Amino acid sequence: MSGYDLLKGVRVLEVAALGPSSLGGYLADMGADVVKVEDAVGDGVRYAGNPAMGSPNGESLLHLRWNRGKRSIQLDLKAEADRATFLDLVAKADVVIEGMRAGILDRLGFGFDDLKKVKPSIVFCSISGLGSYGPYAEMGSHGPSFDAFGALSSVNPYALTKEERAKSNVTPVGMHAMGLYAALGTLAAIIKARATGEGSRIEVAAADCAAHWLPDAVDAALNPDKCFDRPGFLGGKGKQACWPRLWRYECADGRGIFFQAFSPKFWERFCVAVERPDLAEAYKSDRDVNDVDEDVHDKLVELFATRNLADWMDLFGKHDVPAGAANSRETLTSDPHFLARNNVYEVELPGAGVLRLTTTPVKIAGQKFAPDLAPTAGKDQKAVLADWLA
């Protein structure tokens, strides 16, 4: 069973492994019947990454996220009988996902042009690291390389020095963004196919996703003679005035709070709420703005350390001052806002017991997100063939 019912009736054949499996995962979360076509070995993501669940050799959280709600069959796409079965399934499908090095299905005789002969309205989405064309297309690639290509090395742990990596808590972008971009393109193509009967070939490369991630980064580099620093825009500590008013502070209970009273009206409300007219007057003096910022920062450090996070959040809520919890991964799991928004569901993993896992940021009124556990390889062979080919 998939997550929601928005894509109920949409049938997806996924020939994918590792990160590209996330595309089918997003479609399954929204209700599509996603059938994962695996070889005899199965998707290596089941036992990739750290931590392992239930035991040192248990299944990975990547697998439990990207493959949840899917069904799995095993076919040898080089064997004649299984090739015929695959084409029979294509005839019943809305979408085929190629989630390996681009062009694999073409070489097997299952490219877009081949599949259109079986199903003219088929949506074919190729999702890979480097795409099917360009000078790097034939090269192998791994997740960290996408961010290195896309000029996001500063937020990629594997592209940093050992010393930089020890100080950093970062999230790879390209590997996780590719499924989202591919889902957007695939859904748009499904709408077109249902309106016109015409299929589409979509291609998404993770390296491109990383390169496109920041609209004010590469676009600025493409137009160096037309870009100018905006006066007064917040840049960071020591660069622009008022940076302490958009900063992380530690509360009395050790929890972090992200203070957001950068604009004058919110700053004034804050100063009134905490009865600190001295802070309100600080930026009205003739002193050097950098000296003022340093003094205000030091005073705010002392001030925020006088109350617990919950007390600060209550005060800010009453006075309409923007602020939020600055969570670690551990504190996020008990954050009341995170839990109140149904961001956790439970599923039982054989050998490990009941797991608490994150749901999806997409919330559907009146529906509960509760997808089935990610399947073992070939688990649904008989059921899928009976459902699709009856």
Side-chain angles (χ1 to χ4, degrees):
M1 182 183 72
S2 50
Y4 294 130
D5 68 1
L6 300 185
L7 293 180
K8 185 177 181 180
V10 173
R11 287 177 164 176
V12 179
L13 277 179
E14 175 192 274
V15 187
L18 302 174
S21 297
S22 61
L23 167 56
Y26 291 125
L27 299 178
D29 281 355
M30 296 301 111
D33 182 8
V34 180
V35 173
K36 190 174 185 68
V37 180
E38 306 190 64
D39 60 16
V41 176
D43 188 348
V45 80
R46 284 186 173 85
Y47 302 102
N50 189 56
M53 302 306 294
S55 73
N57 295 313
E59 295 182 354
S60 73
L61 288 171
L62 294 175
H63 166 61
L64 296 175
R65 165 74 67 85
W66 289 338
N67 288 325
R68 66 188 177 194
K70 299 178 184 178
R71 299 193 287 173
S72 172
I73 64 174
Q74 290 179 297
L75 297 176
D76 179 355
L77 296 183
K78 295 181 180 179
E80 287 304 316
D82 284 356
R83 289 173 61 85
T85 298
F86 183 74
L87 290 177
D88 288 341
L89 293 169
V90 169
K92 303 290 186 178
D94 298 288
V95 178
V96 170
I97 297 172
E98 175 189 60
M100 300 164 289
R101 197 177 297 191
I104 291 291
L105 289 186
D106 266 313
R107 291 193 283 276
L108 288 170
F110 296 129
F112 178 56
D113 291 335
D114 302 300
L115 301 187
K116 275 200 308 182
K117 298 173 184 176
V118 177
K119 183 72 174 287
S121 63
I122 198 70
V123 172
F124 184 96
C125 185
S126 177
I127 176 172
S128 64
L130 294 165
S132 64
Y133 57 89
Y136 307 153
E138 295 301 317
M139 300 182 70
S141 61
H142 295 284
S145 71
F146 309 143
D147 292 349
F149 171 83
L152 296 178
S153 293
S154 62
V155 297
N156 186 307
Y158 298 95
L160 301 176
T161 66
K162 181 179 180 181
E163 292 74 20
E164 290 171 330
R165 190 159 56 245
K167 299 177 182 178
S168 180
N169 183 16
V170 296
T171 301
V173 172
M175 184 174 70
H176 295 285
M178 62 178 167
L180 291 170
Y181 281 115
L184 173 63
T186 298
L187 291 172
I190 291 172
I191 292 172
K192 176 185 175 181
R194 294 197 167 183
T196 67
E198 182 182 350
S200 299
R201 186 186 189 281
I202 301 164
E203 179 172 302
V204 174
D208 292 343
C209 294
H212 286 269
W213 191 248
L214 298 176
D216 55 357
V218 178
D219 287 335
L222 288 169
N223 301 278
D225 59 334
K226 299 180 179 65
C227 294
F228 300 89
D229 287 333
R230 190 179 302 282
F233 191 74
L234 179 71
K237 184 175 181 180
K239 295 182 179 180
Q240 302 289 344
C242 306
W243 58 262
R245 286 152 51 175
L246 191 66
W247 207 253
R248 182 200 184 278
Y249 295 94
E250 189 164 302
C251 302
D253 55 358
R255 293 288 303 275
I257 188 168
F258 194 74
F259 184 48
Q260 302 168 58
F262 182 69
S263 67
K265 70 174 182 179
F266 291 128
W267 177 244
E268 291 171 7
R269 290 179 189 173
F270 167 74
C271 293
V272 170
V274 296
E275 300 179 350
R276 290 292 298 270
D278 60 310
L279 292 174
E281 293 297 319
Y283 288 100
K284 299 176 183 179
S285 71
D286 294 329
R287 296 174 59 208
D288 181 84
V289 69
N290 292 314
D291 292 338
V292 173
D293 278 341
E294 293 294 342
D295 286 348
V296 168
H297 173 259
D298 292 344
K299 291 176 180 178
L300 290 178
V301 168
E302 294 178 0
L303 180 59
F304 278 108
T306 63
R307 308 186 193 203
N308 293 336
L309 172 64
D311 297 325
W312 280 117
M313 293 300 292
D314 182 62
L315 179 71
F316 288 165
K318 291 176 179 177
H319 291 269
D320 191 19
V321 176
N327 282 308
S328 65
R329 294 172 184 173
E330 290 70 28
T331 62
L332 179 61
T333 63
S334 60
D335 186 287
H337 189 76
F338 176 76
L339 296 175
R341 290 190 52 74
N342 301 315
N343 282 307
V344 177
Y345 75 107
E346 294 184 350
V347 66
E348 186 166 356
L349 177 65
V354 176
L355 301 181
R356 298 174 68 237
L357 301 174
T358 53
T359 57
T360 168
V362 179
K363 314 301 181 188
I364 308 299
Q367 293 193 35
K368 181 180 180 180
F369 186 84
D372 285 343
L373 184 71
T376 55
K379 173 180 178 291
D380 307 289
Q381 194 92 4
K382 292 182 179 179
V384 169
L385 298 182
D387 289 350
W388 282 41
L389 304 182

